[in-house]
């Protein structure tokens, strides 16, 4: 199915060569996307905090080519040619070609760097696809598309989704929803949008410290994991629960009830991993230290009444979430109590951010 809104009608300007630089952040889902259908469409709606420090910066160089029947590009990570990324980008270009018809008219050099270590296990696909999509829309504007900021973001999110589902949520911030939901006006399976309703002060500048428990390649990729939801006997219940949790979060965001927030967010994280354990073949991405950290977070909550909580993505790392009012106490706790369970004691302090930016166009 084609989505005509995203097909440029006419690009009046001729530009022979140039470059654009864009940045996009990573994001952490509170209600998880796990299971998809069709062309990168989510089985349930999800919501995430956009991060601030964990970002990808991409420079996209383009130059007119006479050979216009194939995609012509090279990828560089931290200045070094990275052929390993090229099949994924080729697939991305194939998927988005009808929406970005100039892709075959230019040859591209994609130069990319992350503010976080590539091997950290932090999803670089969301920030990477987000930054690349922002660059493509910026070029389209240079060619005369003349989109306003709202539509530019919408199209960047639409394209990013086709590269990696969660990337749809890396364009705006600090709270983004992706996926059609009856209680969220304007929500769509095709792109992410800024959370449209009231958010209580308690959730402003929410903090996320990422504890790097296991930095290796994941044994099971997200794409394979999503696929295993087909045939998972609990899948339908999971999709329904996720949409229900998102509905509950609407009133939680409004009231500022952090205890209710914690309940939903931690349950979402454990359900995600529960789905992995219930897949066929089954798999476990948590490590013993993941559980050790979770237990210590629960212990701190019990002992002190702190509002610290955790979430997980598709890996062993733990995202420690806490209100900014507890920044000092929780960061001290991480340093003394949790860092011994991280690989080489490493963690990254991050917090909510505003989304992707054009650095230079
Ligand atoms: C567990 O977006 O990485 O982080 O669409 O196949 O690229 P693809 O998957 P991806 O899946 C992310 C799954 C998750 C939950 C989430 O971010 O919502």
């Amino acid at each position: 199915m084609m989505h005509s809104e995203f097909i440029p009608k006419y690009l009046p300007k001729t530009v022979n060569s140039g470059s654009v630089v864009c940045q996009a952040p990573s994001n952490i889902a509170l209600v998880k996307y796990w299971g998809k259908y069709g062309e990168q469409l989510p089985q349930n709606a999800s919501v995430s905090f956009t991060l601030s420090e964990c970002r990808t910066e991409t420079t996209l160089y383009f130059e007119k080519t006479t050979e216009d029947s194939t995609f012509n590009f090279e990828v560089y990570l931290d200045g070094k040619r990275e052929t390993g990324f090229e099949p994924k980008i080729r697939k991305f270009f194939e998927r988005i070609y009808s929406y970005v018809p100039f892709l075959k008219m230019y040859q591209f050099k994609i130069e990319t760097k992350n503010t976080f270590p590539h091997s950290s296990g932090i999803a670089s696909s969301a920030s990477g696809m987000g930054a690349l999509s922002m660059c493509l829309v910026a070029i389209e504007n240079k060619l005369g598309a003349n989109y306003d900021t709202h539509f530019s973001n919408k199209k960047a999110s639409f394209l990013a989704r086709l590269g990696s589902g969660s990337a749809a949520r890396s364009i705006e911030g600090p709270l983004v929803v992706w996926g059609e939901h009856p209680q969220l006006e304007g929500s769509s399976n095709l792109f992410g949008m800024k959370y449209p309703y009231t958010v209580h002060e308690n959730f402003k500048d929410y903090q996320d410290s990422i504890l790097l428990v296991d930095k290796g390649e994941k044994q099971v990729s997200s794409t394979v994991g999503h696929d295993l939801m087909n045939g998972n006997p609990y899948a339908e219940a999971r999709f329904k629960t996720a949409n229900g949790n998102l509905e509950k979060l609407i009133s939680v965001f409004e009231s500022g009830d952090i205890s209710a927030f914690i309940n939903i967010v931690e349950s979402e994280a454990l359900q995600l991993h529960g789905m992995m354990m219930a897949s066929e073949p089954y798999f476990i991405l948590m490590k013993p230290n993941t559980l050790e950290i979770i237990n210590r977070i629960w212990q701190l909550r019990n002992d002190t009444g702190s509002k610290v909580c955790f979430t997980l993505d598709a890996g062993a790392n733990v995202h420690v979430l806490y209100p900014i009012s507890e920044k000092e106490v929780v960061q001290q706790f991480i340093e003394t109590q949790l860092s011994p369970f991280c690989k080489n004691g490493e963690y990254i302090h991050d917090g909510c951010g505003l989304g992707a930016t054009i650095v230079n166009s």
Side-chain angles (χ1 to χ4, degrees):
M1 186 169 147
M2 298 285 282
H3 303 284
S4 52
E5 183 188 1
F6 298 103
I7 301 172
K9 280 161 201 71
Y10 173 58
L11 296 171
K13 292 195 190 147
T14 309
V15 182
N16 286 325
S17 64
S19 66
V20 293
V21 189
C22 292
Q23 281 198 357
S26 186
N27 69 74
I28 181 66
L30 305 169
V31 170
K32 309 291 180 182
Y33 146 60
W34 197 243
K36 57 180 164 181
Y37 69 97
E39 201 164 48
Q40 291 286 99
L41 302 168
Q43 291 279 14
N44 61 263
S46 57
V47 62
S48 52
F49 279 140
T50 307
L51 297 184
S52 167
E53 300 301 318
C54 293
R55 305 175 74 85
T56 298
E57 180 173 293
T58 297
T59 306
L60 187 57
Y61 298 90
F62 56 100
E63 197 178 325
K64 260 253 150 74
T65 171
T66 44
E67 163 59 84
D68 62 358
S69 59
T70 55
F71 300 119
N72 197 333
F73 66 93
E74 286 179 353
V75 184
Y76 292 80
L77 176 67
D78 298 325
K80 281 220 313 268
R81 179 91 188 260
E82 204 26 277
T83 49
F85 286 179
E86 289 174 9
K88 190 160 186 190
I89 305 251
R90 185 168 302 280
K91 192 161 170 202
F92 174 54
F93 280 5
E94 278 160 10
R95 277 194 190 145
I96 64 172
Y97 179 54
S98 32
Y99 307 103
V100 190
F102 62 82
L103 272 180
K104 286 187 183 167
M105 287 154 47
Y106 292 97
Q107 59 185 46
F108 296 96
K109 184 176 170 200
I110 305 167
E111 253 179 31
T112 189
K113 57 184 186 215
N114 298 323
T115 56
F116 49 89
H118 175 60
S119 58
S120 62
I122 296 176
S124 57
S125 63
S127 54
M129 289 299 176
L132 182 54
S133 300
M134 285 289 289
C135 286
L136 292 170
V137 175
I139 294 178
E140 209 164 300
N141 279 325
K142 271 177 180 290
L143 298 177
N146 240 337
Y147 302 141
D148 61 16
T149 310
H150 175 73
F151 188 80
S152 292
N153 283 343
K154 189 166 152 181
K155 179 154 183 182
S157 173
F158 172 86
L159 296 177
R161 169 187 59 88
L162 290 165
S164 179
S166 55
R169 300 187 312 242
S170 270
I171 305 299
E172 298 197 85
L175 203 51
V176 175
V177 287
W178 167 45
E180 225 170 277
H181 191 289
Q183 257 69 49
L184 284 160
E185 215 182 310
S187 60
S188 168
N189 283 347
L190 300 180
F191 48 83
M193 66 172 197
K194 226 175 127 157
Y195 178 75
Y197 305 131
T198 312
V199 180
H200 193 277
E201 272 297 307
N202 287 352
F203 297 109
K204 295 259 157 73
D205 297 319
Y206 225 73
Q207 301 291 295
D208 177 9
S209 295
I210 306 157
L211 308 191
L212 308 179
V213 172
D214 188 34
K215 310 206 302 176
E217 269 293 297
K218 284 185 250 174
Q219 308 107 294
V220 181
S221 73
S222 290
T223 304
V224 170
H226 284 289
D227 210 39
L228 290 174
M229 285 300 275
N230 297 313
N232 185 315
Y234 305 102
E236 279 314 313
R238 163 63 202 152
F239 304 144
K240 222 170 130 200
T241 308
N243 283 328
N245 280 339
L246 185 40
E247 185 172 346
K248 285 186 198 155
L249 271 182
I250 296 174
S251 51
V252 168
F253 284 140
E254 186 166 351
S255 68
D257 184 347
I258 302 185
S259 299
F261 172 83
I262 291 173
N263 212 274
I264 294 167
V265 167
E266 291 190 343
S267 168
E268 275 290 318
L270 295 180
Q271 276 186 35
L272 167 71
H273 285 259
M275 287 301 111
M276 300 174 190
M277 296 181 207
S279 294
E280 189 55 54
Y282 46 80
F283 58 104
I284 300 180
L285 296 183
M286 290 187 284
K287 296 283 180 201
N289 282 350
T290 311
L291 294 179
E292 188 60 51
I293 289 167
I294 291 174
N295 278 313
R296 283 178 184 244
I297 288 171
W298 285 346
Q299 188 74 51
L300 181 78
R301 264 211 325 263
N302 273 335
D303 292 350
T304 69
S306 162
K307 297 284 192 230
V308 65
C309 74
F310 73 87
T311 189
L312 308 167
D313 53 22
N317 294 341
V318 181
H319 287 250
V320 183
L321 300 175
Y322 47 99
I324 192 154
S325 58
E326 291 194 27
K327 188 169 174 174
E328 224 169 288
V329 179
V330 174
Q331 292 193 352
Q332 177 78 16
F333 166 69
I334 289 171
E335 174 62 34
T336 55
Q337 300 275 321
L338 303 184
S339 70
F341 302 103
C342 301
K343 266 256 151 75
N344 309 321
E346 274 185 81
Y347 52 84
I348 298 170
H349 291 313
D350 207 336
C352 288
L354 294 179
T357 50
I358 300 171
V359 180
N360 197 340
S361 175

